[in-house]
Amino acid sequence: MAKKGAARKDVPTAPKGMRDIVGNEHHKYQGFFEKASEVALYYGFQPIELPMLEREDVFLSTNSEDTDLVGKEMYTLKTKGGDKLALRPEGTAPAMRAYLEHGMQSQPQPIKLYYYGSFFRHDNPQRGRYREFRQFGIEMIGSPKSVSDAMVIYLTAMILSDVGLKNIVIDVNSIGDKDSRVPYLRELTQYYRKHINHLCANCRERIKTNPLRLLDCKNPECQPYKEKAPQSIAHLSLASKAHFKEVLEYLDALKLNYRINPYLVRGLDYYTHTVFEIVEVPDAKIPDAPAENTTQLEETVEEKGKRTAKDEREAAANAPLALAGGGRYDYLAKRLGSKKDVPAVGASIGVDRVLMSQNYKAVTPRIVKKPKIYFIQLGFEAKLKSLEIIEVLRSARIPVAHSLNRDSLSGQLGTAEKLEIPYAIIFGQKEALDGTVIVRNMLTRSQDTVKVAKLADYIKNIK
Ligand code: AMP
């Protein structure tokens, strides 16, 4: 006999890093998506359903080869017609593809979209990291304004706090625009070249291919060099600095708990200006409150960066998982072939990780109703007509539970009691012949005989 819990050898299992989501767990996901959609709709976002597969180019053209997402993590396939497609690893590039494809530039800007569903990355499965995972994403396309960055960050934080998450901290950074990036990358590369012999193999490669990602390295041997590395916030162009300052002003005004994290660059290439990630931390680790006013902020942008370097090292040991991330991506549209740049900002929430939080308060999906009635049938005559009675209740939108496979009265009553359902309908041979049912109050045990034709009204009128 097979060991308990072990799958039989000849039964296939779900692919590594992917899983079935069944029953209550499914409701948890659905409840989250409903809640998040409600918040997004409230703020004027409209739903978009993106295909699971995109042309590989949508991702290849938007990222340099060194991004993990393109280098190793993308699931790709060739269709029978020879097209190269990829299972979507993220939603931002597809959303921008849809915006351009449907000429949404000609509508009033910005276009605000939300979407949710599965995304796929061929990564090593570990805590909070799957190969198929679910994201809820929001994108605000066509606005260069700092208020859009703030709104996206705020909305993301509000969705997380609406589902019960506590002690949410927003890590925020600015990686600037083109004018900031060129001199900054030159300095960063020069700095790292001096230490090249002490860096991990990945970082040595990144110096050539994608120097910004040197700051993303989690390898302990690279940490001391990362801490002393030049920081992007110290190299912002005037325009980038003004944009970032405004974003921080909004975050202050909105009383969001944030900290400037100079190492935050995010894995994808197309980000500009604001980048952010949201984590949930234990009480003790809540960082200092944001600076009180912007003058102070202006003076401390660089100092704050230095202070957080130490915090970062302390936190690195058991860093909390990022629950959401996002940023501005003003150059993505051109990479997808648009003649003009389209300023945009977005975020995505890692729903699997949110549901793993101890503080997550499951939201019941609207279609799931607590049963008001437990339907009990006795004898073959009654069983034959059971579905008709259940349908009378369903079409009157009265939530009903039942187990037609069971036969005994006591067993069925026991289940009704266990589920704490307030009323039972008892439907036996006699009732089946008379066209009636017995409605039993499970608390007082009082019973009424009711005509099937009057059943829905009767139940709607009981308190
Ligand atoms: P990204 O698209 O990489 O910015 O990811 C946004 C959020 O999705 C992250 O903050 C995570 O919460 C979640 N996420 C990303 N990759 C995975 C994964 N492989 N498994 C589970 N969640 C993920």
Side-chain angles (χ1 to χ4, degrees):
M1 209 173 95
K3 253 202 266 162
K4 199 170 172 246
R8 267 176 45 204
K9 221 176 164 191
D10 51 343
V11 175
T13 56
K16 190 173 165 189
M18 305 189 185
R19 69 210 166 93
D20 306 303
I21 297 176
V22 189
N24 272 341
E25 199 187 4
H26 192 279
H27 290 161
K28 273 171 103 178
Y29 277 91
Q30 202 180 349
F32 178 87
F33 291 137
E34 268 185 19
K35 178 82 209 166
S37 305
E38 185 181 272
V39 179
L41 277 169
Y42 198 89
Y43 278 88
F45 286 71
Q46 51 172 319
I48 181 166
E49 184 146 347
L50 299 159
M52 287 280 167
L53 289 163
E54 288 280 347
R55 287 177 202 286
E56 195 184 30
D57 273 358
V58 168
F59 306 106
L60 288 184
S61 60
T62 50
N63 284 284
S64 69
E65 277 163 25
D66 185 52
T67 40
D68 290 341
L69 190 148
V70 170
K72 337 180 246 198
E73 293 178 5
M74 216 153 69
Y75 284 90
T76 51
L77 61 96
K78 212 167 178 181
T79 66
K80 288 187 180 133
D83 288 340
K84 283 179 156 180
L85 303 183
L87 265 177
R88 58 187 191 182
E90 56 102 19
T92 301
M96 182 59 94
R97 191 265 311 136
Y99 171 94
L100 296 171
E101 180 178 341
H102 303 299
M104 295 189 201
Q105 299 98 310
S106 56
Q107 299 169 23
Q109 304 293 298
I111 299 290
K112 294 186 276 180
L113 303 171
Y114 77 85
Y115 53 85
Y116 56 85
S118 282
F119 292 83
F120 303 85
R121 295 183 194 171
H122 193 273
D123 202 354
N124 253 346
Q126 49 189 282
R127 181 179 71 106
R129 190 166 292 281
Y130 309 103
R131 288 184 172 175
E132 180 184 13
F133 58 99
R134 282 134 286 261
Q135 285 189 340
F136 182 91
I138 50 174
E139 312 290 349
M140 208 160 163
I141 307 182
S143 162
K145 300 255 169 70
S146 53
V147 67
S148 304
D149 307 39
M151 184 162 164
V152 163
I153 296 174
Y154 187 59
L155 213 70
T156 310
M158 285 310 103
I159 292 173
L160 295 179
S161 72
D162 254 29
V163 295
L165 269 56
K166 300 200 173 76
N167 305 337
I168 286 170
V169 180
I170 302 157
D171 279 307
V172 62
N173 192 20
S174 171
I175 53 172
D177 53 9
K178 273 184 194 137
D179 293 341
S180 333
R181 198 85 62 90
V182 175
Y184 173 58
L185 288 185
R186 198 181 310 125
E187 196 172 316
L188 189 68
T189 314
Q190 272 168 7
Y191 164 83
Y192 266 106
R193 275 198 201 290
K194 281 193 234 148
H195 304 289
I196 194 159
N197 294 332
H198 305 281
L199 303 176
C200 71
N202 271 346
C203 280
R204 269 182 258 153
E205 194 53 33
R206 283 173 181 155
I207 293 186
K208 287 181 251 154
T209 53
N210 190 351
L212 209 52
R213 295 224 42 229
L214 287 158
L215 300 174
D216 233 3
C217 181
K218 305 280 184 298
N219 199 323
E221 61 195 273
C222 300
Q223 299 313 299
Y225 303 100
K226 184 166 128 176
E227 281 170 19
K228 296 208 178 78
Q231 297 178 354
S232 58
I233 39 177
H235 293 75
L236 297 181
S237 66
L238 282 179
S240 285
K241 198 164 183 169
H243 184 90
F244 192 41
K245 196 173 143 232
E246 279 175 26
V247 172
L248 298 183
E249 250 180 290
Y250 279 113
L251 301 189
D252 282 336
L254 293 164
K255 300 201 169 27
L256 289 174
N257 204 355
Y258 73 88
R259 59 190 173 190
I260 297 172
N261 178 346
Y263 306 117
L264 188 66
V265 290
R266 315 245 323 120
L268 302 173
D269 256 8
Y270 46 68
Y271 286 104
T272 46
H273 293 288
T274 321
V275 289
F276 75 96
E277 259 178 20
I278 300 189
V279 289
E280 192 186 29
V281 295
D283 280 336
K285 284 198 180 159
I286 292 195
D288 297 347
E292 260 145 37
N293 63 52
T294 326
T295 329
Q296 192 185 345
L297 267 172
E298 196 165 31
E299 288 158 7
T300 58
V301 157
E302 284 153 43
E303 274 162 30
K304 265 193 168 191
K306 288 197 183 104
R307 178 166 56 72
T308 49
K310 191 164 151 276
D311 299 346
E312 193 73 14
R313 199 173 24 182
E314 282 164 13
N318 49 2
L321 293 169
L323 298 176
R328 181 162 274 289
Y329 48 92
D330 293 350
Y331 306 142
L332 172 64
K334 262 198 180 162
R335 287 193 177 211
L336 279 171
S338 161
K339 291 209 173 63
K340 282 201 301 191
D341 275 326
V342 179
V345 56
S348 55
I349 299 177
V351 182
D352 308 85
R353 291 188 186 175
V354 173
L355 267 55
M356 280 164 57
S357 163
Q358 285 180 347
N359 295 319
Y360 179 70
K361 276 206 299 271
V363 187
T364 311
R366 270 181 211 123
I367 57 162
V368 178
K369 305 274 192 291
K370 211 169 167 274
K372 187 174 178 185
I373 306 287
Y374 193 83
F375 177 79
I376 296 170
Q377 38 65 41
L378 299 165
F380 188 66
E381 281 301 320
K383 250 199 218 320
L384 276 178
K385 294 185 177 164
S386 287
L387 289 177
E388 279 172 40
I389 310 287
I390 292 169
E391 183 55 21
V392 165
L393 299 172
R394 189 204 64 81
S395 53
R397 294 173 172 265
I398 297 164
V400 53
H402 46 80
S403 63
L404 298 184
N405 291 311
R406 304 183 74 170
D407 299 323
S408 88
L409 176 63
S410 60
Q412 293 180 74
L413 273 175
T415 310
E417 259 165 32
K418 213 161 86 198
L419 297 175
E420 295 178 349
I421 299 177
Y423 291 90
I425 284 179
I426 301 169
F427 189 53
Q429 181 113 354
K430 177 172 182 305
E431 288 76 27
L433 292 173
D434 291 354
T436 59
V437 300
I438 297 169
V439 180
R440 176 185 171 97
N441 181 324
M442 293 295 290
L443 203 65
T444 63
R445 297 185 182 184
S446 65
Q447 300 190 161
D448 276 338
T449 298
V450 182
K451 282 260 168 222
V452 172
K454 302 249 168 76
L455 179 61
D457 284 342
Y458 177 89
I459 290 176
K460 280 185 179 164
N461 287 327
I462 51 183
K463 275 158 243 141

